[in-house]
């Protein structure tokens, strides 16, 4: 059957020697699995299934991004001569799960070999492992092969080797080894360019007045994306977040243009202002490339190469370029390594024993705390906020208020356009919620990713943003009706967990402040914290100690 729709072109193929499964976050035209395919005899299988779209709630923009990017990718494969069996979400025959769709495709195409890149989530790895075991047991000459994803600089085995035997996995040490291994920003004498491994001191600038960054390139939805937007609105009318203004790259050409736009317009100020925040400015000088990277539309190599070229051309200075390179070759690789090395229990860890409920305002941004309404509002509108709102406002509030980490993790996984579990779990459960303590950890060891919790009072938010200027709460007050809720919750957090943190040297100074408080003050804070948790619906009781 001939069709104008490229996704229907191979709807009737009846055989494939090798069937390559491509998942929604494996959209790499240069993947090693694709290079192996014979375009005449083999076939690619891509599936839109409800099981994946619904296993956690999903922001509408996130769902649209995945589905539209998959459709664009499949169309591009067809154009390059690959045979593609594409199962759309609303196809009548769609059985709506990975395992049953692979089974259906395999019974039609009778491949001898099924191949895929390693999925980025333990749950999905297990699904395919189970399928592979059953399918291969049914006939002797069948093979199910999972290949390493060479999108990354580091394989999981290489990371495991680096991590093995280490008492603590500190990112900075991993990053320095990456720099040496890859040769990025290194001088010929083996020393880091500019004499320093990082330029953190130069990269903590705040805005003294409203910043005016150039509007980032955001592609307009084309016919494919508009069709997917209608599908998503129709299928999940009560889905979270807004769809209007969707402007995320859905194909490689758009992602490359977004990369160039960042390099020329925002990289020159990226590092210096990477921790700063400002009202109604969710993007500032950030790259906005994480969704394109996590879907594999672009590679971290080409991002680094372009940033280094900008340094050579004098477009951006070393502190700005180094900050960007560190995110790509250091942090991103490190958290993926942690996710796979720590194992499937990692996202469920609850090292501080907190069991509070995530407040409703996380889903709609309706709160009178200005910092949270700004940062959550950006998430509702764009399925995005940069790393400091994630860590020091949204994540920080959940941490100090005693919300169960699993709920925080699932919220981040649902609401961010760049959310994939290998990235979200260590960033949220580890870095943000300080909950990734191993079940067999020694006393005093509280986390894997972080050596101390990223908890703060309203003071940090005031220093790094203008949010407090227009808030109904007083950032300088600790208790009372108009006191900034971050303040009482922060001190209450330290009081609740002080015996746990006492063995942590990095917490010693701050705990001295708690110890110096008299009993009445501590009791007043405890009562204020409890009242706030009740008021925000964080019922269920915050933990006191693991
Ligand atoms: Fe946020 Fe407190 Fe500042 Fe208000 S006063 S914006 S609640 S930190």
């Amino acid at each position: 059957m001939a069709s104008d729709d490229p996704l229907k072109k191979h709807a009737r193929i009846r055989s494939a020697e090798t069937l390559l499964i491509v998942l929604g976050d494996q959209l790499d035209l240069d993947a090693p699995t694709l290079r192996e395919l014979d375009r005449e005899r083999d076939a690619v299988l891509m599936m839109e299934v409800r099981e994946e779209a619904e296993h956690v709630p999903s922001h509408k923009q996130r769902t649209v991004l995945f589905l539209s990017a998959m459709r664009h990718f499949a169309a591009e494969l067809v154009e390059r001569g690959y045979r593609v069996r594409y199962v759309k979400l609303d196809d009548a025959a769609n059985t709506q799960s990975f395992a049953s769709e692979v089974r259906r495709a395999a019974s039609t195409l009778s491949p001898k070999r099924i191949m895929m890149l390693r999925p980025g989530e333990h749950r999905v790895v297990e699904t395919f492992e189970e399928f592979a075991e059953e399918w291969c047991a049914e006939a002797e000459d069948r093979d199910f092969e999972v290949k390493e994803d060479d999108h990354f600089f580091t394989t999981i085995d290489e990371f495991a080797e680096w991590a093995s035997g280490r008492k603590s996995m500190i990112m900075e040490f991993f990053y320095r080894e990456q720099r040496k291994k890859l040769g990025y920003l290194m001088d010929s004498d083996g020393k880091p360019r500019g004499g320093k491994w990082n330029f953190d001191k130069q990269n903590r600038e705040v805005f003294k007045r409203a910043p005016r960054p150039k509007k980032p390139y955001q592609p307009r939805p084309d016919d494919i994306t508009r069709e997917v937007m209608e599908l998503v609105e129709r299928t999940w009318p009560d889905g979270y977040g807004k769809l209007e203004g969707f402007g995320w790259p859905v194909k490689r050409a758009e992602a490359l243009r977004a990369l160039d736009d960042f390099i020329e317009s925002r990289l020159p100020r990226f590092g210096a202002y990477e921790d700063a925040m400002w009202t109604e400015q969710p993007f500032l000088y950030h790259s906005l490339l994480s969704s394109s990277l996590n879907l594999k539309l672009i590679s971290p190599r080409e991002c680094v190469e372009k940033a280094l070229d900008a340094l050579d051309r004098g477009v951006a200075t070393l502190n700005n370029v180094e900050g960007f390179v560190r995110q790509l070759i250091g942090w991103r690789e490190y958290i993926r390594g942690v996710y796979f090395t720590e194992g499937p229990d990692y996202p469920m860890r609850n090292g501080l024993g907190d069991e509070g409920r995530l407040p409703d305002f996380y889903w709609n941004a309706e709160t009178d705390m200005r910092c949270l309404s700004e940062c959550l509002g950006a998430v509702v509108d764009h399925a995005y906020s940069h790393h400091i709102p994630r860590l020091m406002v949204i994540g920080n509030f959940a941490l100090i208020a005693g919300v169960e980490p699993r709920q925080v993790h699932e919220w981040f996984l649902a609401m961010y356009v760049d959310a994939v579990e290998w990235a979200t779990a260590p960033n949220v459960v580890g870095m943000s919620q300080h909950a990734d303590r191993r079940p067999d950890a020694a006393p005093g060891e509280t986390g894997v990713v972080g050596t101390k919790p990223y908890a703060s009072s309203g003071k940090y938010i005031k220093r790094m943003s203008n949010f407090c200027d227009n808030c109904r709460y007083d950032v300088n007050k600790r208790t009372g009706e108009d006191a900034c809720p971050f303040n009482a919750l922060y001190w209450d957090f330290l009081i609740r967990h002080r015996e746990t943190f006492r063995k942590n040297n990095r917490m010693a100074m701050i705990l001295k402040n708690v110890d110096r408080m008299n009993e009445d003050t501590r009791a007043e804070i405890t009562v204020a914290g409890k009242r706030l948790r009740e008021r925000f619906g964080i019922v269920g009781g915050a933990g006191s100690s693991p």
Side-chain angles (χ1 to χ4, degrees):
M1 179 183 71
S3 167
D4 289 343
D5 181 352
L7 307 190
K8 292 272 180 241
K9 189 170 175 202
H10 302 123
R12 299 211 166 184
I13 54 170
R14 285 291 171 265
S15 71
E17 282 188 16
T18 292
L19 181 64
L20 168 63
I21 300 166
V22 174
L23 303 179
D25 62 348
Q26 299 178 339
L27 309 182
D28 179 0
L29 287 165
D30 193 35
T33 41
L34 272 177
R35 293 198 295 265
E36 262 192 46
L37 283 201
D38 181 312
R39 296 177 204 205
E40 302 283 318
R41 294 196 301 267
D42 301 334
V44 174
L45 171 65
M46 296 183 71
M47 307 158 276
E48 300 175 357
V49 293
R50 285 187 88 116
E51 181 187 61
E52 285 311 294
E54 294 175 351
H55 84 276
V56 289
S58 186
H59 193 297
K60 289 178 193 170
Q61 292 200 26
R62 178 172 179 263
T63 311
V64 167
L65 172 71
F66 268 83
L67 299 187
S68 177
M70 285 172 70
R71 292 183 183 196
H72 281 90
F73 185 78
E76 202 149 353
L77 289 183
V78 171
E79 204 174 294
R80 289 170 181 231
Y82 291 96
R83 301 193 306 158
V84 180
R85 178 182 164 110
Y86 195 94
V87 184
K88 285 187 175 175
L89 190 78
D90 52 357
D91 283 353
N94 188 340
T95 55
Q96 304 295 350
S97 85
F98 278 155
S100 55
E101 275 308 299
V102 180
R103 167 74 59 188
R104 195 162 70 87
S107 48
T108 305
L109 304 175
S110 310
K112 290 273 178 276
R113 179 167 77 135
I114 299 181
M115 182 169 59
M116 70 186 308
L117 288 174
R118 181 202 289 260
E121 185 171 344
H122 293 299
R123 179 186 58 86
V124 182
V125 171
E126 279 162 23
T127 296
F128 283 106
E129 276 173 359
E130 274 170 32
F131 171 83
E133 206 176 307
E134 272 178 32
W135 186 72
C136 290
E138 288 163 13
E140 271 191 0
D141 56 349
R142 287 180 177 175
D143 184 28
F144 194 107
E145 207 178 319
V146 177
K147 292 204 173 269
E148 187 68 38
D149 193 344
D150 66 5
H151 164 92
F152 297 94
F153 293 103
T154 319
T155 66
I156 288 159
D157 288 347
E158 283 167 348
F159 186 87
E161 200 175 308
W162 174 81
S164 89
R166 276 172 197 269
K167 199 162 175 295
S168 62
M169 289 196 263
I170 293 177
M171 198 291 285
E172 184 64 25
F173 298 147
F174 173 75
Y175 169 59
R176 290 179 190 187
E177 288 195 19
Q178 290 284 86
R179 289 267 295 272
K180 289 183 207 156
K181 181 178 98 177
L182 300 165
Y184 290 140
L185 295 175
M186 298 299 293
D187 286 336
S188 52
D189 59 1
K191 300 243 167 68
R193 178 92 56 95
K196 285 194 277 191
W197 291 103
N198 73 60
F199 296 85
D200 284 349
K201 284 201 183 120
Q202 280 163 265
N203 286 357
R204 289 197 189 115
E205 295 281 338
V206 296
F207 299 114
K208 296 188 175 66
R209 64 186 75 84
R212 303 178 70 177
K214 189 170 158 263
K215 195 175 175 305
Y217 161 70
Q218 291 187 294
R220 281 170 195 261
D222 62 6
D223 288 349
I224 294 178
T225 302
R226 278 198 298 274
E227 189 185 316
V228 171
M229 288 166 87
E230 280 167 26
L231 172 73
V232 168
E233 289 285 21
R234 208 169 52 240
T235 312
W236 295 284
D238 301 324
Y240 291 105
K242 292 182 185 158
L243 209 39
E244 307 90 72
F246 178 91
W248 296 103
V250 292
K251 55 187 176 185
R252 178 164 165 77
E254 291 175 350
L256 285 173
R257 191 168 156 197
L259 170 58
D260 286 341
D261 176 59
F262 165 66
I263 296 285
E264 301 305 320
S265 307
R266 302 191 300 286
L267 179 63
R269 308 187 99 192
F270 164 79
Y273 292 99
E274 66 181 321
D275 289 358
M277 301 176 280
W278 199 265
T279 45
E280 293 169 24
Q281 297 261 17
F283 305 140
L284 291 165
Y285 300 102
H286 287 265
S287 75
L288 312 183
L289 295 171
S290 48
S291 64
S292 298
L293 279 159
N294 290 353
L295 265 57
K296 321 283 163 58
L297 299 177
I298 48 172
S299 78
R301 278 175 195 81
E302 58 201 343
C303 295
V304 172
E305 301 288 344
K306 291 216 170 191
L308 297 179
D309 177 61
L311 178 65
D312 290 344
R313 289 187 288 122
V315 169
T317 53
L318 182 58
N319 63 309
N320 289 294
V321 171
E322 188 279 324
F324 182 58
V325 169
R326 176 149 32 114
Q327 294 296 327
L328 289 166
I329 71 169
W331 185 248
R332 187 166 182 265
E333 301 272 318
Y334 169 82
I335 55 163
R336 178 173 178 262
V338 167
Y339 177 75
F340 281 107
T341 310
E342 289 294 303
D345 81 299
Y346 186 91
M348 304 302 292
R349 289 189 192 166
N350 188 357
L352 295 176
D354 285 325
E355 291 179 353
R357 182 178 159 274
L358 190 75
D360 290 340
F361 62 72
Y362 270 64
W363 301 99
N364 55 26
E366 288 169 10
T367 167
D368 58 5
M369 289 177 277
R370 184 64 192 257
C371 53
L372 277 162
S373 72
E374 277 287 333
C375 299
L376 292 168
V379 180
V380 170
D381 289 350
H382 307 288
Y384 174 85
S385 66
H386 73 71
H387 72 133
I388 291 298
R390 295 188 205 209
L391 183 67
M392 298 310 294
V393 181
I394 298 170
N396 179 27
F397 184 85
L399 170 68
I400 60 180
V403 177
E404 185 190 16
R406 183 185 58 79
Q407 294 181 47
V408 187
H409 171 234
E410 286 181 0
W411 180 85
F412 273 96
L413 201 52
M415 294 299 275
Y416 279 83
V417 76
D418 53 16
V420 285
E421 193 174 90
W422 64 261
T424 306
N427 269 308
V428 176
V429 179
M431 180 78 170
S432 163
Q433 300 303 293
H434 198 62
D436 61 346
R437 182 179 193 267
R438 292 183 182 128
D440 61 350
E445 285 177 26
T446 54
V448 173
V449 165
T451 49
K452 73 178 187 62
Y454 277 82
S456 88
S457 65
K459 219 192 228 174
Y460 176 89
I461 295 169
K462 180 177 165 49
R463 189 167 72 245
M464 300 309 295
S465 75
N466 67 335
F467 297 154
C468 304
D469 297 350
N470 299 300
C471 182
R472 70 156 284 237
Y473 295 105
D474 185 342
V475 72
N476 297 311
K477 288 191 181 165
R478 193 160 62 190
T479 53
E481 250 333 278
D482 64 341
C484 167
F486 280 76
N487 294 342
L489 288 171
Y490 170 68
W491 290 104
D492 176 56
F493 168 79
L494 292 174
I495 291 168
R496 283 190 288 118
H497 293 296
R498 95 178 135 138
E499 292 317 314
T500 302
F501 294 141
R502 200 169 293 289
K503 297 156 204 127
N504 182 336
N505 290 339
R506 293 197 68 201
M507 296 296 287
M509 287 281 282
I510 198 76
L511 287 185
K512 272 197 186 130
N513 292 323
V514 177
D515 293 340
R516 270 198 290 268
M517 288 173 180
N518 64 39
E519 276 303 325
D520 288 349
T521 305
R522 281 200 290 265
E524 187 191 10
I525 291 169
T526 298
V527 169
K530 187 164 177 283
R531 282 202 188 124
L532 284 167
R533 286 197 298 278
E534 281 166 4
R535 197 175 115 207
F536 296 128
I538 307 166
V539 288
S544 55
S545 243

